[in-house]
Each structure stands twice: as C-alpha cells, then as structure tokens.
Amino acid sequence: MIRLYDRYIFSRWLRAFLITFGVVSLLLLMERMYDDLWDLVNYGASFREGMLYFLWIMPHWVPILMPAAVLVSSLLILIQMHSKREIVALRAAGVRTFKITRSLWAAGILCAGGLFLLNGWVIPSSVDAANLLLRNIEFRAAESAGDKPQDIGTVDQLAFANELGGRLWFFDQFNTRSYTAQGAHIYLTNTERQLIAHTEAREAFFDDSTKTWTFIDGSTLYYGERGETSGMRIETFDTWIPQNFREDPETMLALSRRPKDLSFKALRRLLATEELKSSPALAPFRARMQQVWVSPVMILVVIGLAIPFALRGIRTNPMVGVSQAIFVFFFYYMLINAFTVLGAREVMTAQHSAWAPHGLMALVALFLNIRRV
C-alpha cells in the first residue's frame, strides 16, 4: 500500500534526481564539446552532424552518471527531511527506517532496471553510431584535403594472434576503409608453438561478402615438421586465396583498442570470436564485459550507503555525513577500477572481479544500516 509519505518522498527525490542528472549531464556535455568541437569544426562537420554526434555520445555517460545522481539526490532529500525533523516525526509515529526509505529503494530498483536495459540495447547502438559518424567525418575531411585514397584510414603495424588456428598476423599498414594491407606477414605454428611456415605478401585484402583473404605477389617459406631449418622449401605465388583463413579485420581492430572504448555490442562480438576462445588477450575485454553487466547493482548499493550517512544524529552537522558519503562513493569507484585491473590481468576471474567490489560495499552498507537501527 502506497502511503502519503511514500508519494511525498518519491516526488521530492525525483525532482532532485532530475535536476542533478541534468546539471551533471550538461557539465559533461560541455567538457566533451570542449574536447571534440574544434576537431569537428576542423573536419568540416556541419551543424547537424555535430548535434547528432553529441546526441549519440551522451548515453555513454549514463552508467557513470546515474549512480552519482542517485547518491546526491538521496542524500539531499534525506538530509532535508532530517533537518526539518520530518524523519523524527515519522519515527515517533512508529514508522521504521526501511518503510521511510522504501520509496527510495523502489526508485533505485527502477533505475537499476533502466540502466540494465540501456547497457544492453540503447548505449551500444548510440556509441557505434557516434563512432561511425566521427569516422565518416574524418574520412571526408581527409578526402577534401587531397589525401590519397589508400592513405585515408590507414593504421600502422597491426598485429593479431589466432592461437586456436596457430596463426600470427602482422601488417605493416592496414586500411580500415578498404580492408587492404601493405606488407602482410602470416606465421604458422604447430600445436607445440613451433614455427612451420611463414607467408609474406606485398599486398592483401579481405572480401567482406565472402569472408576470404586474398594475398598478392608473395611467397611462403616452409620449415621442417618441427620447425627445423633442414629441408626448408619456398613457394612463390601471384595470387593466393586460402579457404581456411577466416580472421575478421573488425576483430583485429577491436583487439587493438582499449576495452572501455568498445561498445557492448563490440565487446560481445569480440568475446564470441571462436579463434580467440583461449587467448589471454581477451582477459581485459572479458573483465570489462562483466563490469558492464554488473554495473546496475551499484545503484542499490549507493542507496544503502546514503541512508546511514544522511540519517545521522540531530546534533551532527549534515555536511559531515555528505562529505563522508561522497568520500565512500569515490572509494567505491576506485575499488571497482582496482578489481577490474585484477580481472584484466587474470589474477581473479572476470565474474569475481566484477562482483567483488559491489559485494564488499554492500556488506559495508549493511553494517552501517544495522548500526543505524
């Protein structure tokens, strides 16, 4: 049964949450505009393209912004009620702390569910759209500047290890637009990680429709069965199309980026790559993936931390509780980053590194609430 004080607390919390969320979003937008606006202007982006880019990039901040907004709004509403003796009046009427704050818990559950949906569907699409738009603007600017087509979107020294297939790829230069490479090298190893063949080609390109690689003007040096130099032979070719080379350039490029720069969809595609199932290079991406899944739990933990710090004694300055809660919140974030590093370095599993900081802070919140009662 929803009581009058539940509606009263929830309505005041909602106003505080929307104001906090809006103000901090505006500050983050101004910071991002300060970093990217001049680049967009120099690339010749139109006003519409600039607006679309910032619109697409804004949902990316929600997983960081929402827990902070929930904390600030919860602290604000509880401290205001406590300073006006409204909490004392409710407690004197026989209302327990949980009943007083149950509307905040309901709001936290709604925010956590919304963040889970955003992480799964909205944020990945918006981040991919923003990255695609920015890349197209950069390519168009390079074309207008008179750059050669083969130089636009080119990255130097791209490497990729397919441990399942026993192939190590290395490109001197790789074009992200045309999926063409200059100076391609493929090292083939056996199950004992001994080099058995080395293919070198002047040029290579990937056909996205057929998912096949084509190597042009190259040669393959074959070693002995166990990598011995005796019995070596070399074969040259003008064009070679291997049918078992299924490595995707998108996977190669994603693996060369930082985990936090990839969207949820890109992380999911990368972790689903069959060739990388046993690769230790996936550990940071796996830890990031688990962190994204578990992040909604932080909202509920934050509410559990806000309540005991806000409902301190009447004679205690409310700002003391606010400062302590904010300090604990920043410590919470540092703890998440520390455990993410442990998961990325495989000191602990990705699941444990994702859940451990939330579990520890949940125990702290439970202890503080029990002491409060």
Side-chain angles (χ1 to χ4, degrees):
M1 181 179 179
I2 301 178
R3 297 184 178 273
L4 180 61
Y5 63 80
D6 289 326
R7 296 196 297 269
Y8 171 73
I9 294 173
F10 180 79
S11 61
R12 293 187 62 183
W13 175 88
L14 183 60
R15 287 196 298 269
F17 173 78
L18 293 177
I19 292 173
T20 305
F21 193 89
V23 170
V24 180
S25 296
L26 183 60
L27 293 176
L28 290 176
L29 178 60
M30 292 174 63
E31 180 186 5
R32 192 59 182 260
M33 291 180 68
Y34 179 81
D35 292 336
D36 297 345
L37 187 58
W38 284 113
D39 291 335
L40 292 173
V41 172
N42 292 331
Y43 289 147
S46 64
F47 177 78
R48 177 179 176 275
E49 289 173 332
M51 292 294 293
L52 279 176
Y53 172 75
F54 290 114
L55 179 64
W56 286 125
I57 207 66
M58 285 183 66
H60 183 63
W61 308 326
V62 175
I64 299 174
L65 179 57
M66 188 174 289
V70 168
L71 174 69
V72 172
S73 56
S74 300
L75 287 172
L76 182 62
I77 182 63
L78 290 175
I79 287 175
Q80 287 179 351
M81 293 181 63
H82 198 46
S83 61
K84 294 179 180 180
R85 306 295 191 269
E86 293 174 337
I87 298 293
V88 176
L90 289 172
R91 292 295 300 269
V95 183
R96 293 184 176 273
T97 302
F98 176 74
K99 286 188 176 181
I100 297 174
T101 59
R102 64 184 178 185
S103 57
L104 298 182
W105 287 106
I109 293 173
L110 291 176
C111 288
L115 182 57
F116 182 82
L117 295 177
L118 287 173
N119 282 336
W121 287 275
V122 178
I123 295 177
S125 299
S126 67
V127 172
D128 288 341
N131 292 335
L132 179 61
L133 178 60
L134 182 61
R135 188 169 60 178
N136 289 336
I137 293 173
E138 292 175 350
F139 290 163
R140 187 184 63 199
E143 291 175 350
S144 301
D147 293 351
K148 297 180 180 179
Q150 61 269 24
D151 295 334
I152 299 175
T154 297
V155 296
D156 296 328
Q157 298 181 345
L158 178 64
F160 177 74
N162 178 1
E163 296 192 5
L164 187 64
R167 289 187 291 272
L168 175 63
W169 297 65
F170 182 82
F171 301 119
D172 294 335
Q173 289 184 329
F174 187 82
N175 191 286
T176 58
R177 296 181 71 193
S178 59
Y179 287 170
T180 59
Q182 303 295 324
H185 302 266
I186 298 93
Y187 300 89
L188 182 64
T189 60
N190 57 19
T191 55
E192 299 176 356
R193 298 181 181 274
Q194 295 171 329
L195 182 64
I196 58 176
H198 171 210
T199 298
E200 180 179 2
R202 177 179 57 83
E203 185 178 355
F205 64 88
F206 181 78
D207 189 341
D208 195 36
S209 59
T210 60
K211 304 297 181 183
T212 57
W213 284 92
T214 301
F215 299 88
I216 300 173
D217 189 15
S219 61
T220 301
L221 176 63
Y222 294 95
Y223 295 86
E225 292 183 359
R226 300 183 60 83
E228 298 90 347
T229 57
S230 59
M232 292 191 306
R233 59 187 177 89
I234 187 170
E235 295 181 1
T236 60
F237 56 84
D238 295 326
T239 301
W240 179 45
I241 306 177
Q243 298 301 316
N244 60 333
F245 285 15
R246 296 295 180 178
E247 289 84 345
D248 194 328
E250 284 295 331
T251 302
M252 298 180 182
L253 294 169
L255 201 61
S256 65
R257 299 174 63 186
R258 296 181 303 178
K260 67 177 183 179
D261 293 335
L262 296 179
S263 69
F264 187 78
K265 285 183 179 179
L267 285 171
R268 190 162 49 191
R269 287 195 300 265
L270 184 62
L271 295 176
T273 304
E274 188 66 29
E275 294 84 1
L276 297 174
K277 289 296 184 181
S278 59
S279 175
L282 281 186
F285 300 93
R286 194 175 291 111
R288 173 62 179 171
M289 181 77 163
Q290 291 295 324
Q291 182 186 10
V292 172
W293 274 121
V294 178
S295 60
V297 178
M298 186 178 186
I299 295 176
L300 300 178
V301 178
V302 161
I303 294 177
L305 292 171
I307 292 173
F309 284 111
L311 302 183
R312 298 174 67 89
I314 298 176
R315 298 179 181 178
T316 304
N317 190 332
M319 295 308 299
V320 175
V322 172
S323 59
Q324 290 176 344
I326 293 177
F327 173 79
V328 172
F329 180 72
F330 281 110
F331 175 76
Y332 193 178
Y333 261 117
M334 290 188 292
L335 199 64
I336 291 174
N337 292 330
F339 275 97
T340 301
V341 172
L342 294 177
R345 296 183 178 180
E346 296 188 300
V347 177
M348 57 196 310
T349 64
Q351 291 83 0
H352 290 160
S353 67
W355 281 101
H358 303 293
L360 290 175
M361 295 307 296
L363 291 176
V364 172
L366 180 62
F367 172 75
L368 293 176
N369 280 276
I370 291 175
R371 285 190 58 188
R372 173 63 193 170
V373 175

